[in-house]
Amino acid sequence: MKSIQSKFTVLMISGLLTMSLLLGGICLVYAVYESTENLNTTLNTVCEEQTIRMDNQLDTVKQAATIIYNYARSRLTSLKDLQDEDFRKEYTDQVCSLAVNVTDHTEGTLGVYFRYNPELTGPKDGFFWAKNDIKSGLKKSMTTDLTEYGEKDVEKTCWYYQPVNAGKPIWTSSYYNETIGVEMISYGIPFYLGKTLVGVMGIDMDFSYLVDLAQEGAIYENGRGNLVDMNKRVVYYRNAGDNEFEIRTLDISDHFYNTLKKADTNQGKLLPFSYKGKHSHMSYQTLNNGMKYVLLAPVTETNRPKNHLLMVILLVTCSILIGYLCFTIYMTKKIVQPLKQLNAAAKEIADGNMDVSIECNTNDEVKTLTESIQQMAQNLKAYVKEINGLVYRDGLTGVKNKMYYYEYIKSLSEEAQKQPYTIVVFKVTGLAGVNKTRGRKCGDELIVTACGIICRVFSHSPIFRIGGDEFFAFLKGNDYMKCGELLRDFEDLSSDVTLVSAPDIAVRIVYGTAQSADGTEPYEEVFCRANEEMDQKKKGM
């Protein structure tokens, strides 16, 4: 007859064996799920961040070209003036001087041009300044004779005819410029007076610079970050050791093309991709110039951590099963204590404390679960931080929103050491009228353009959008000392600015300022003074 101890031992061993197998299975499933989700999140996040970097570079070039266009547009009022050779030469030199200065200070650019409509002037009239390499300065280069080449000579004239045919500012497709021997893309703006084409101006961007930015997003040893032109059905990439301007191309298959065309319905899920028998996970985003940024991660590398984790879990589970057979009571005590710690940590996570630290001296499923919970807490902390960043950002302009403004002002009263500061309140006039007569899209462009002017001048101070047409800047430190100079720069920069899509709409911004010399005056009083000054200026318009 078996003793109670034997029966209890058999019962314990059976129960522990069952629970060990169950816990091991759960950990395996959870490990596979977490690995897949983490890979999905990581690739999509990196792809989005790298796309933002490339879009920012494209937008920088676009803004630089727009500055040149606005300058040229404001200084030419009649087509008759262009027939005067002396006026045309002086006008071209003025535009050229600004264009070269702006382009020289814009990263990633290779050249700047302004070519007149050959039907109005000579076929070579205008200017083209280019760099011999990305690190050198701009030098005057020979202009292309537009009468010698037609629209089909894409490599020669796409920088001119593509914007003209589009009738609006656009990014050209990539092309090889034989004049300076570089693959590039251009942001071209057609210049019209009335319905007559005056010419095309634009900035050339080093395409290899953009391709390098794409590859910088690769996060695995053999991962790839490539640019895809869906119109040309070509993949652009570079290999380690390629020279400064060398760009490799690869024709995309029908399968790859159709996969990207249908990818918008996947809602952020990773897509499968195979090339020459090598399987990869693929994430993609669309750039502002219409190209696709495709991030590839080889399956062999992405599965390596998961396979290693699964092997570790399996080995640990098997070891624990053998240990349970020999040391049932001892292992029971070892399991209970970590579970209590896990329970306490889970409650802290549920209460919002993501900085949990769990000590576990066992070497079993509990340890794996502990590591998974700690990893989960870290991931949740990162996600919460990212979401908070989106909550405090204005969706249209990208500056800080009204919610963050309230938090920022609240923090002023909590500062231990008060500092002098100046506040500037801005109001974009005429928004309601633009929305009513031209539509919301034009009104949004008005707000974005005004915000760009404010951010350009007050780039070292926090900028907030506190209303539909109101912005706020908080100046302290060096910007506080240079307040007068910054305001003069702002007035100069904001004068004669019009919308790109509607040149007849001027961007007008009124502002009011007030300062607190020692930082102890109640903020509400300082704000009221600035707001009153702004209202007075608005009434006087």
Side-chain angles (χ1 to χ4, degrees):
M1 181 177 179
K2 294 183 178 179
S3 65
I4 296 177
Q5 182 178 358
S6 298
K7 294 179 180 179
F8 181 75
T9 302
V10 172
L11 179 62
M12 286 290 294
I13 291 175
S14 301
L16 290 172
L17 286 174
T18 303
M19 291 301 296
S20 296
L21 291 172
L22 180 61
L23 185 60
I26 292 174
C27 289
L28 288 173
V29 173
Y30 182 77
V32 172
Y33 173 78
E34 274 295 302
S35 177
T36 302
E37 288 299 308
N38 286 340
L39 175 63
N40 183 76
T41 301
T42 300
L43 279 182
N44 282 325
T45 300
V46 172
C47 189
E48 290 174 4
E49 291 177 350
Q50 202 66 13
T51 299
I52 291 174
R53 284 189 61 193
M54 289 185 282
D55 278 343
N56 286 341
Q57 180 60 38
L58 292 172
D59 287 343
T60 299
V61 174
K62 178 179 178 180
Q63 290 171 4
T66 303
I67 291 173
I68 299 170
Y69 168 79
N70 289 336
Y71 179 83
R73 180 68 181 80
S74 65
R75 281 160 175 75
L76 182 63
T77 58
S78 172
L79 290 173
K80 294 181 179 180
D81 293 339
L82 289 179
Q83 306 306 317
D84 185 336
E85 186 174 346
D86 292 336
F87 173 84
R88 187 169 68 250
K89 183 179 183 305
E90 181 181 358
Y91 171 72
T92 304
D93 291 342
Q94 290 174 348
V95 176
C96 179
S97 178
L98 174 71
V100 171
N101 184 50
V102 170
T103 305
D104 243 341
H105 291 82
T106 304
E107 188 178 9
T109 57
L110 281 176
V112 61
Y113 62 90
F114 177 25
R115 296 300 308 278
Y116 291 104
N117 182 352
E119 296 179 1
L120 298 180
T121 63
K124 290 188 176 183
D125 280 358
F127 62 81
F128 173 43
W129 285 61
K131 298 179 181 179
N132 293 329
D133 57 69
I134 197 66
K135 296 180 181 179
S136 66
L138 290 168
K139 295 182 179 179
K140 188 175 182 180
S141 299
M142 180 179 62
T143 57
T144 302
D145 188 341
L146 292 175
T147 60
E148 293 183 3
Y149 305 99
E151 294 183 34
K152 295 183 179 180
D153 299 307
V154 176
E155 303 293 325
K156 299 283 189 180
T157 62
C158 69
W159 50 268
Y160 181 86
Y161 286 110
Q162 286 185 9
V164 170
N165 291 336
K168 62 182 180 180
I170 63 166
W171 283 101
T172 68
S173 56
S174 63
Y175 64 96
Y176 184 76
N177 189 310
E178 293 183 353
T179 304
I180 59 177
V182 176
E183 187 80 16
M184 60 175 58
I185 58 175
S186 302
Y187 184 77
I189 303 177
F191 182 6
Y192 287 89
L193 274 183
K195 295 184 179 180
T196 303
L197 175 68
V198 175
V200 176
M201 60 184 58
I203 293 180
D204 300 324
M205 181 177 175
D206 179 14
F207 191 58
S208 63
Y209 180 81
L210 203 61
V211 175
D212 284 340
L213 283 179
Q215 179 57 22
E216 286 178 10
I219 57 176
Y220 289 93
E221 182 179 355
N222 295 308
R224 304 292 310 181
N226 300 326
L227 291 178
V228 177
D229 189 324
M230 295 293 285
N231 294 325
K232 289 185 175 182
R233 298 183 66 155
V234 170
V235 175
Y236 298 94
Y237 67 98
R238 284 161 62 85
N239 290 332
D242 289 345
N243 65 43
E244 184 178 8
F245 293 117
E246 182 177 359
I247 298 176
R248 301 175 185 268
T249 60
L250 180 69
D251 294 335
I252 61 178
S253 64
D254 291 338
H255 172 71
F256 183 62
Y257 178 82
N258 293 329
T259 299
L260 280 180
K261 290 288 285 185
K262 298 177 181 178
D264 291 331
T265 62
N266 283 271
Q267 298 180 350
K269 294 181 180 179
L270 298 182
L271 302 173
F273 174 73
S274 298
Y275 179 69
K276 293 184 177 180
K278 296 181 180 180
H279 303 290
S280 300
H281 296 292
M282 179 177 72
S283 179
Y284 91 100
Q285 292 284 323
T286 303
L287 299 179
N288 287 343
N289 67 342
M291 287 187 174
K292 306 287 187 183
Y293 174 52
V294 177
L295 187 62
L296 298 174
V299 171
T300 54
E301 294 186 46
T302 60
N303 284 346
R304 191 177 299 157
K306 179 176 69 176
N307 294 336
H308 178 73
L309 180 59
L310 293 177
M311 184 62 67
V312 170
I313 292 175
L314 289 173
L315 291 175
V316 170
T317 302
C318 292
S319 300
I320 292 174
L321 290 175
I322 296 173
Y324 276 153
L325 294 174
C326 302
F327 306 101
T328 302
I329 298 176
Y330 176 75
M331 294 302 297
T332 302
K333 292 181 180 179
K334 284 289 185 178
I335 292 174
V336 170
Q337 187 61 33
L339 288 177
K340 290 181 178 179
Q341 294 179 353
L342 289 175
N343 183 55
K347 288 182 178 180
E348 289 190 40
I349 294 174
D351 292 336
N353 179 19
M354 305 300 174
D355 297 318
V356 294
S357 178
I358 311 171
E359 294 184 3
C360 182
N361 298 320
T362 63
N363 190 27
D364 51 21
E365 293 91 336
V366 176
K367 180 179 180 180
T368 304
L369 185 58
T370 300
E371 293 172 348
S372 298
I373 290 179
Q374 287 180 316
Q375 183 63 45
M376 179 183 67
Q378 294 175 5
N379 290 341
L380 286 174
K381 183 178 180 180
Y383 297 156
V384 169
K385 183 177 180 181
E386 181 179 353
I387 291 172
N388 285 339
L390 295 174
V391 168
Y392 288 126
R393 186 183 304 153
D394 179 57
L396 176 62
T397 62
V399 298
K400 299 175 180 64
N401 61 15
K402 194 171 186 178
M403 185 180 298
Y404 191 82
Y405 164 75
Y406 287 134
E407 294 291 336
Y408 188 83
I409 297 307
K410 181 180 178 182
S411 68
L412 294 179
S413 60
E414 298 174 356
E415 290 184 4
Q417 183 178 3
K418 302 295 184 180
Q419 299 180 5
Y421 64 85
T422 297
I423 64 173
V424 187
V425 183
F426 304 89
K427 189 175 186 65
V428 183
T429 63
L431 176 62
V434 171
N435 283 335
K436 183 176 181 181
T437 59
R438 297 297 184 89
R440 293 280 181 181
K441 185 175 181 180
C442 196
D444 288 346
E445 184 183 354
L446 177 61
I447 290 298
V448 172
T449 304
C451 180
I453 297 172
I454 296 170
C455 292
R456 200 173 305 134
V457 176
F458 301 94
S459 58
H460 299 293
S461 296
I463 308 296
F464 306 85
R465 186 184 181 192
I466 60 175
D469 56 0
E470 293 186 359
F471 292 86
F472 173 91
F474 190 91
L475 283 58
K476 60 182 180 179
N478 192 39
D479 277 8
Y480 169 80
M481 302 298 295
K482 298 193 305 180
C483 179
E485 179 183 344
L486 291 173
L487 290 175
R488 287 190 295 273
D489 292 343
F490 174 76
E491 291 177 352
D492 293 340
L493 187 59
S494 61
S495 63
D496 298 326
V497 176
T498 61
L499 299 186
V500 174
S501 64
D504 59 313
I505 298 178
V507 179
R508 293 187 174 88
I509 310 170
V510 295
Y511 66 88
T513 66
Q515 66 175 235
S516 178
D518 55 7
T520 60
E521 184 180 358
Y523 170 77
E524 291 75 10
E525 296 180 6
V526 181
F527 181 85
C528 286
R529 294 204 309 271
N531 201 49
E532 289 175 0
E533 181 181 322
M534 181 190 70
D535 289 339
Q536 290 297 325
K537 288 184 178 180
K538 184 180 178 182
K539 291 178 181 179
M541 292 182 64

